[in-house]
Amino acid sequence: MKKKVMVIHSSIEEIDRVYKWLDKSLRDLVDEEMSQKIILVCQEIATNAIIHGNRLLNRKLVIVTFTVNITSKEIRIKIKDEGDGIEKLPSKEEALNLCYLEEDGRGLKLAVLMSDKIEVDGNSIEVTFNI
Ligand SMILES: Nc1ncnc2c1ncn2[C@@H]1O[C@H](COP(=O)(O)OP(=O)(O)OP(=O)(O)O)[C@@H](O)[C@H]1O
Ligand SMILES: [Mg+2]
């Protein structure tokens, strides 16, 4: 098992750093398509952590933990903020009814649909991808 941690402040520019870090971390593990999928989901969750969790308060931190388990063929990414927590995840059914033209409420639905497992624990959310 391999584990890496990245800590960012709560400004939108930090999302680009997360993108580059994940892109580099995923390079030798999965193909380009899988990599883009994981990055898309993580960008949505990290953006939520910055905006909804930490309310764009720059001093508040977001901790991104990247774990690879070669034996169980899984990549897990946990994103934790300093907010009050995520109330609830959309169900698979709600996610499938996703309206792509909707202004809000797409991020978590995409995450539910595109990950293999998703779990919320207070102000942290973990997505798992089978590789
Ligand atoms: N880290 C978080 N902390 C607290 N609340 C959150 C967090 N992440 C999501 N939420 C809540 O869940 C809701 C749904 O999140 P989701 O990403 O699906 O939609 P959104 O961020 O409102 O819009 P967008 O479609 O642009 O992502 C948010 O509006 C917010 O109320
Ligand atoms: Mg969002």
Side-chain angles (χ1 to χ4, degrees):
M1 206 151 82
K2 238 169 54 185
K3 195 170 183 168
K4 304 206 293 186
V5 179
M6 180 186 209
V7 180
I8 58 164
H9 284 276
S10 295
S11 71
I12 289 298
E13 299 89 77
E14 294 280 81
I15 293 294
D16 193 47
R17 283 183 56 219
V18 176
Y19 177 96
K20 291 188 173 115
W21 183 73
L22 285 174
D23 190 46
K24 204 168 150 217
S25 309
L26 290 163
R27 200 160 294 162
D28 299 323
L29 293 169
V30 296
D31 64 20
E32 186 59 24
E33 197 182 328
M34 185 70 172
S35 174
Q36 290 305 321
K37 178 167 117 168
I38 295 173
I39 289 172
L40 173 65
V41 169
C42 292
Q43 272 179 325
E44 288 295 336
I45 294 175
T47 306
N48 282 350
I50 290 171
I51 297 176
H52 304 302
N54 290 347
R55 299 180 188 278
L56 287 164
L57 290 169
N58 193 53
R59 67 185 156 79
K60 292 204 172 184
L61 304 175
V62 176
I63 302 166
V64 186
T65 309
F66 180 95
T67 310
V68 192
N69 189 330
I70 296 295
T71 318
S72 63
K73 296 200 169 76
E74 278 178 348
I75 289 177
R76 291 201 309 269
I77 297 133
K78 188 162 107 182
I79 299 180
K80 184 174 167 65
D81 59 52
E82 297 191 65
D84 299 332
I86 300 153
E87 253 172 46
K88 76 175 198 42
L89 282 176
S91 66
K92 266 256 156 69
E93 289 69 38
E94 284 166 336
L96 280 167
N97 290 326
L98 166 65
C99 171
Y100 287 92
L101 299 176
E102 239 172 56
E103 284 262 313
D104 300 317
R106 289 166 311 177
L108 288 179
K109 288 179 181 168
L110 279 178
V112 164
L113 291 177
M114 295 175 84
S115 62
D116 293 300
K117 189 172 159 197
I118 181 163
E119 286 177 317
V120 167
D121 179 12
N123 56 11
S124 97
I125 176 163
E126 184 177 72
V127 278
T128 303
F129 296 88
N130 300 331
I131 56 168

